[in-house]
Amino acid sequence: MCGRDRHSTVRAPKCRAFAVAVTAVIAAASARAGDDALVTYKSLTPDVALEAAQATLKKCRDDGYQVAVAVVDRFGQPQVLLRDRYAGLPAADIATAKAYTALSFRRDTSELAKMVRDGQMDASLARMPHIAMLAGALVIETGGTLVGGIGVAGAPGGDKDEACARAGLEAIRDKLDF
């Protein structure tokens, strides 16, 4: 179509337009393929995770409890771990497992524990590595995006652990809701 012949001067503008159109289509397809190759996500900063953990620890101390607090990032990796000096030995591991569980199941662990008790969820899930189907952890979300989990262990009951975790989330709410 755009080869050289005796009418090439007449066809040249058409050939250039065709070449521009083909180039635009290829560039658009490449841009779309490039978009599929990368993922963009939101993540808690270490400072905000630390602020949440500190506010959680303060609430528990004010209530008279010695606890451990863990904040995990969106990938389930511990971002902050605080353990009060008189918290029980397993408290740090349990708090981390609770936070990981809330993140993994995208639900507060009090709700998960209730689902296990009511038979809505298989109790054998609690035997999976790093899972703790115990009340005391909340998911951390912003704008419908899951960014982490916060878990507490050491208070006399998961409901008290959860109240402390909720105080930690409230302390950073203004930084999450933008």
Side-chain angles (χ1 to χ4, degrees):
M1 175 175 164
C2 291
R4 286 246 189 239
D5 65 11
R6 61 187 175 137
H7 302 291
S8 62
T9 56
V10 175
R11 291 188 184 159
K14 288 182 182 177
C15 287
R16 276 191 215 111
F18 179 74
V20 168
V22 168
T23 303
V25 168
I26 291 171
S30 297
R32 261 186 263 121
D35 288 345
D36 292 342
L38 300 174
V39 175
T40 303
Y41 60 86
K42 294 178 182 176
S43 180
L44 284 176
T45 65
D47 295 336
V48 172
L50 179 59
E51 186 179 338
Q54 288 172 325
T56 299
L57 188 65
K58 180 182 181 331
K59 166 70 170 144
C60 275
R61 280 182 174 171
D62 290 349
D63 291 346
Y65 312 131
Q66 294 280 304
V67 300
V69 179
V71 177
V72 298
D73 66 14
R74 67 180 295 113
F75 304 109
Q77 294 301 304
Q79 202 168 9
V80 174
L81 176 63
L82 299 177
R83 182 185 162 274
D84 218 338
R85 62 187 162 265
Y86 299 117
L89 293 177
D93 290 337
I94 294 169
T96 303
K98 286 181 179 184
Y100 179 86
T101 301
L103 173 75
S104 298
F105 288 88
R106 302 180 72 100
R107 293 176 189 252
D108 300 343
T109 55
S110 60
E111 184 180 342
L112 292 169
K114 184 179 182 321
M115 291 172 74
V116 169
R117 272 193 317 272
D118 294 346
Q120 295 173 315
M121 186 175 280
D122 190 343
S124 64
L125 287 171
R127 290 191 294 273
M128 298 292 295
H130 313 292
I131 300 295
M133 294 289 188
L134 304 167
L138 306 172
V139 294
I140 305 172
E141 291 182 293
T142 179
T145 300
L146 190 63
V147 295
I150 184 167
V152 181
D159 58 328
K160 294 165 186 68
D161 288 335
E162 187 171 313
C164 294
R166 198 163 304 287
L169 282 184
E170 288 307 312
I172 62 167
R173 180 65 51 208
D174 62 325
K175 292 176 174 87
L176 296 178
D177 296 335
F178 43 85

